[in-house]
Amino acid sequence: MTQAKFEFAAMPDAEGMFGPYGGQLVPPHLKKAMDDISEAYDKISKTEEFQKELADLNATYVGRPSPIFHAKRLSEQLGGAQIYLKREDLNHTGAHKINHCLGEALLAKFMNKKKVIAETGAGQHGVALATACALVGIPCEIHMGAVDIEKEHPNVTKMKILGCKLVSVTAGQATLKEAVDSAFEEYLKDPTEYIYAIGSVVGPHPFPAMVRDFQAIVGREAREQFLASNGKLPDHIVACVGGGSNAMGMFTAFLQDDVHLIGVEPAGKDIETLGQHAATLTKGKPGAIHGMKCYVLEDAEGNPAAVHSIASGLDYPGVAPQHSYLKDLGRVDYQSATDKQTLDAFMTLSRVEGIIPALESAHAVAWAIKTAPTLGKDETILINLSGRGDKDVDYVANLLGI
Ligand SMILES: *Cc1c(COP(=O)(O)O)cnc(C)c1O
């Protein structure tokens, strides 16, 4: 029996569903606002004017395409597969997030919005969005957990310098989840004049699809670059997964290929203890959070669980609906790295290649370091190095007593 090849990339459907995940679990007035954004996005993103402005800014402002670097010394030291890095850390503002922030800010401009509102975890989305809003000329308001504000001081200062309004959120655990709740509350005050700019491939439709589309440039470039330099595709492609945007951005171009795709979640201090990790796909179950159906980590009462990761950008008890579906389909292999393995990978990449990775990205590096020695020398691993570690150096130095 012949079967048509499953169209992994042909998602979501008209209702924003990725299989049983995604959708719009929001009150009616918010659904109207989301549908308006969806309609505007479909129309505006297809115009030549929008595409040309985004392409110009990607080239001249972000610095795209980001290169692929062959980490020869690291590969040699590990004695197995050849390791390559897609250098999203070299983008203006230091991470992949500028890719969707520019898209979202431009969309806001084309829609004549008066204010862009968002949450931020590690501060990377906040900095990238404040940057894009400064460039485009729209007021920007960022909600951030008080705990993260304490931990991510340089990013907080950058956001203030870039001219955005920073709102400190002290409710609950005072991290990313509470920041999302607070930002949505502000947005609901005037969804006509304001626009919400979600920081990952999460939330109600159209955000999981829209953010993925803006990030997909990463995989499109990587596929072309790797083919040009190696004459074949990578055997393994690995990315860290928090909400899942850098991983989706990288994976989308390879979903139909015979390539092993690995998403690495934060195993934190202990993956067997709820509250000590943020490995949502590995340890969670199907549920709902922040306007979407997806895998979630829940406590005994059925509320979103407390989560932990050494990387604030990964500590979220939900995850992208598309990753949830790709897990069920078995197309992407979801694994995890502990805080300790991540810290080791952070130091190793810094000292062996002179590249200080973000603690988020170091989760993907940790998988490569663990796996490369078990593979043949003719095999290749491409790591999506989602961001640089400048924001993490004081935190790591304190932790290690450097
Ligand atoms: C925010 C962030 C992440 C996690 O977000 P995803 O949506 O899972 O990509 C990963 N890496 C860096 C550098 C980040 O700033």
Side-chain angles (χ1 to χ4, degrees), residues 95-97 124 199-200 240-247 313-314 358 360-361 386-387:
H96 70 289
K97 289 200 177 76
Q124 292 294 99
S200 189
C240 64
V241 176
S245 67
N246 85 88
L314 301 182
E360 290 80 6
S361 325
S386 55

Side-chain angles (χ1 to χ4, degrees), residues 157-206:
T157 309
K158 281 184 205 163
M159 283 186 269
K160 289 180 183 164
I161 289 173
L162 289 162
C164 82
K165 180 178 169 194
L166 188 70
V167 178
S168 170
V169 182
T170 53
Q173 281 200 80
T175 60
L176 183 59
K177 190 188 95 51
E178 292 79 14
V180 177
D181 294 335
S182 168
F184 253 103
E185 206 172 295
E186 175 64 22
Y187 170 64
L188 280 177
K189 289 179 188 164
D190 194 348
T192 312
E193 293 288 308
Y194 303 164
I195 188 165
Y196 198 99
I198 290 182
S200 189
V201 281
V202 298
H205 180 66

